[in-house]
Amino acid sequence: MPERIVILGAGHAAAQAIDTLRRRGHRGSIVLVGDEPHLPYQRPPLSKKYLAGTHERSRLLIRQARYYSERAIETRLGRRALQIDRRTQRARLDDGSDLAYDALLIATGSRARALTVPGADLDGVRYLRTMADVDSLRTGMESARRIVIIGGGYIGLEVAATCRQRGLAVTVLETQDRVMKRVVSEETSAAFTAEHLRNGVNIICGAGSLEIASHAGTQQVRAVVCDGCEHEADIVLIGVGAAAAQELACDAGLECDNGIVVDLHGRTSDASIYAAGDCTSHPSARYGGYVRLESVDNAFEQATTAALNMLGEPAEHDSVPWFWSEQFDLKLTITGLASGHDTVVVRGDPTSRCFSVCYLRGNELLAVESVGNSKDAIAARRLIAARSHLEPHHLANPACGLDRLPANSRPAN
């Protein structure tokens, strides 16, 4: 069992790893390094309740400061790891200090993708990934009347809903032909588009030739020019996805490919180094090949697995992925991954604000998108985990709940 464990990154995965290590009896030292000045905090509320001002900063913390002190966790906050020396098993920080480790967990998460268009560096252009990003955005919103959001994914649409509820005029520019195209079906995309339109959000899909313009003689945002049309803005939020924060691992010579490559145990190509969360690419027998997931649930599950293996308790990470988004009062839950499907079944009326979209491959249930349908979302996780084979005509009947399928549709024991 390693005596000294160092964790680089202070997000959901780091918090869960610490909890698992101490609960499972690790009595050695644990050092937590985070480049933000905050203890690990929840990220999902950033674009919703925290941005809206209904969540105080203290409520974001996954655990309060007392938790870490009571468990003798050494914290190095506001510090960035610059280098991992695998030969000497030391991590060098930006203050010049070195941390020796017997086992190292990289939990650096992901970072917002930068948009490289003219004017992207103007004052008033924002990204949303950290608490500081939201604080800056909230300050700008106090005097703003109009916001243009570039990107119609989860973050863009969640911020659009929050800003609209705070009274701002909101325009969303999406380069694809529909919002959330990378992650949801046409039916789900249409349902959320309709919800935003009902609430006064202006959504423009197929947006191209973007440029951010400033007021004459200043560096202050004035408008976003899209296909020759100007959309006035006091603030521009860029939400065009996220990339794995893998540079530290790559520089150390660890295998990286759209994330830090780990095995089912959370171990990297170096037996003393583990990784967990958004920064990783891990194998999935269920979906084939390697996947990189940006979700709180995956961070918790993978960090638990890595921590157990650090302590010599064999464990494998193979849980069913789970994601969610809230926009206005409409909730989306995605269970599983749809990649590789050959059949799509819609349960219920997509215009009813309560329906599900099921993805199958050879009648095996791979994924379910549930809009306003928590029962389907809960049942889907169990069925997908069991690799259930279901008849499409049974799935298509919304009166037959996923949690009470006909006997011939249930997975064999």
Side-chain angles (χ1 to χ4, degrees):
M1 181 182 295
E3 171 62 25
R4 184 171 176 82
I5 296 175
V6 173
I7 301 174
L8 304 180
H12 291 277
Q16 183 63 15
I18 288 170
D19 184 63
T20 303
L21 290 167
R22 286 300 192 229
R23 280 192 298 104
R24 292 292 182 144
H26 177 63
R27 299 183 181 280
S29 65
I30 300 176
V31 184
L32 173 67
V33 180
D35 60 4
E36 295 183 65
H38 313 292
L39 290 166
Y41 60 88
Q42 302 175 67
R43 307 284 169 155
L46 291 180
S47 57
K48 298 178 279 290
K49 292 182 178 180
Y50 186 65
L51 178 59
T54 59
H55 249 42
E56 294 299 322
R57 178 176 293 185
S58 61
R59 293 186 63 185
L60 292 181
L61 294 180
I62 297 172
R63 295 181 180 88
Q64 299 299 316
R66 183 173 142 185
Y67 170 91
Y68 299 93
S69 60
E70 288 177 345
R71 287 157 182 78
I73 309 300
E74 180 183 348
T75 58
R76 300 284 190 95
L77 302 178
R79 297 268 67 91
R80 186 166 59 91
L82 299 179
Q83 182 184 32
I84 298 170
D85 188 329
R86 294 165 54 195
R87 184 182 59 82
T88 62
Q89 295 195 174
R90 304 183 76 86
R92 177 167 298 169
L93 307 188
D94 60 357
D95 62 356
S97 64
D98 283 344
L99 296 175
Y101 65 83
D102 298 312
L104 179 71
L105 176 67
I106 303 175
T108 45
S110 57
R111 59 173 53 88
R113 290 187 184 276
L115 183 65
T116 54
V117 299
D121 58 347
L122 291 174
D123 295 338
V125 176
R126 302 281 193 274
Y127 290 84
L128 194 155
R129 201 68 190 169
T130 67
M131 194 185 295
D133 290 339
V134 181
D135 291 341
S136 175
L137 181 57
R138 283 170 62 175
T139 298
M141 287 167 59
E142 292 175 1
S143 59
R145 294 186 298 113
R146 299 157 299 196
I147 182 171
V148 172
I149 298 170
I150 300 175
Y154 291 143
I155 291 295
L157 294 180
E158 288 171 1
V159 171
T162 302
C163 288
R164 191 72 195 101
Q165 289 169 323
R166 289 193 55 169
L168 275 71
V170 181
T171 295
V172 175
L173 302 176
E174 169 55 51
T175 59
Q176 299 288 332
D177 58 3
R178 58 184 177 86
V179 299
M180 297 190 291
K181 183 173 183 176
R182 185 175 64 87
V183 292
V184 301
S185 63
E186 291 184 14
E187 291 82 3
T188 299
S189 179
F192 278 89
T193 296
E195 184 71 11
H196 280 265
L197 294 177
R198 272 195 297 271
N199 284 278
V201 177
N202 180 30
I203 295 179
I204 299 173
C205 293
S209 302
L210 295 173
E211 180 179 345
I212 304 173
S214 64
H215 289 281
T218 75
Q219 286 293 302
Q220 182 61 42
V221 161
R222 177 180 60 80
V224 177
V225 182
C226 171
D227 296 321
C229 296
E230 286 198 354
H231 302 277
E232 293 186 355
D234 302 306
I235 303 174
V236 174
L237 177 77
I238 296 174
V240 292
Q246 63 182 23
E247 293 81 5
L248 191 63
C250 294
D251 291 345
L254 298 175
E255 183 182 358
C256 296
D257 184 5
N258 186 33
I260 306 167
V261 176
V262 297
D263 62 16
L264 289 172
H265 307 290
R267 188 180 289 111
T268 70
S269 52
D270 184 316
S272 298
I273 302 178
Y274 296 75
D278 292 12
C279 64
T280 69
S281 175
H282 67 270
S284 172
R286 180 176 291 105
Y287 298 104
Y290 281 74
V291 296
R292 188 176 78 81
L293 303 175
E294 297 172 13
S295 79
V296 171
D297 182 68
N298 178 70
F300 280 161
E301 296 285 350
Q302 199 172 36
T304 299
T305 298
L308 291 174
N309 283 285
M310 282 183 184
L311 300 179
E313 298 184 35
E316 292 188 350
H317 172 60
D318 191 29
S319 59
V320 176
W322 180 80
F323 315 84
W324 63 274
S325 178
E326 286 182 343
Q327 299 165 31
F328 297 106
D329 61 351
L330 198 58
K331 184 168 183 176
L332 164 67
T333 304
I334 301 177
T335 309
L337 300 176
S339 56
H341 72 276
D342 54 33
T343 303
V344 178
V345 178
V346 179
R347 289 169 50 79
D349 179 3
T351 65
S352 69
R353 295 168 54 84
C354 182
F355 68 96
S356 295
V357 180
C358 305
Y359 298 85
L360 301 99
R361 179 179 60 213
N363 282 8
E364 178 185 344
L365 186 64
L366 297 179
V368 176
E369 294 167 13
S370 302
V371 178
N373 190 337
S374 59
K375 288 185 177 180
D376 274 7
I378 293 170
R381 195 163 192 181
R382 174 180 58 82
L383 292 169
I384 294 170
R387 307 201 71 156
S388 305
H389 284 68
L390 311 173
E391 293 294 334
H393 69 276
H394 287 146
L395 282 174
N397 180 7
C400 182
L402 288 183
D403 57 344
R404 50 187 177 84
L405 293 170
N408 64 355
S409 291
R410 291 191 182 277
N413 293 327

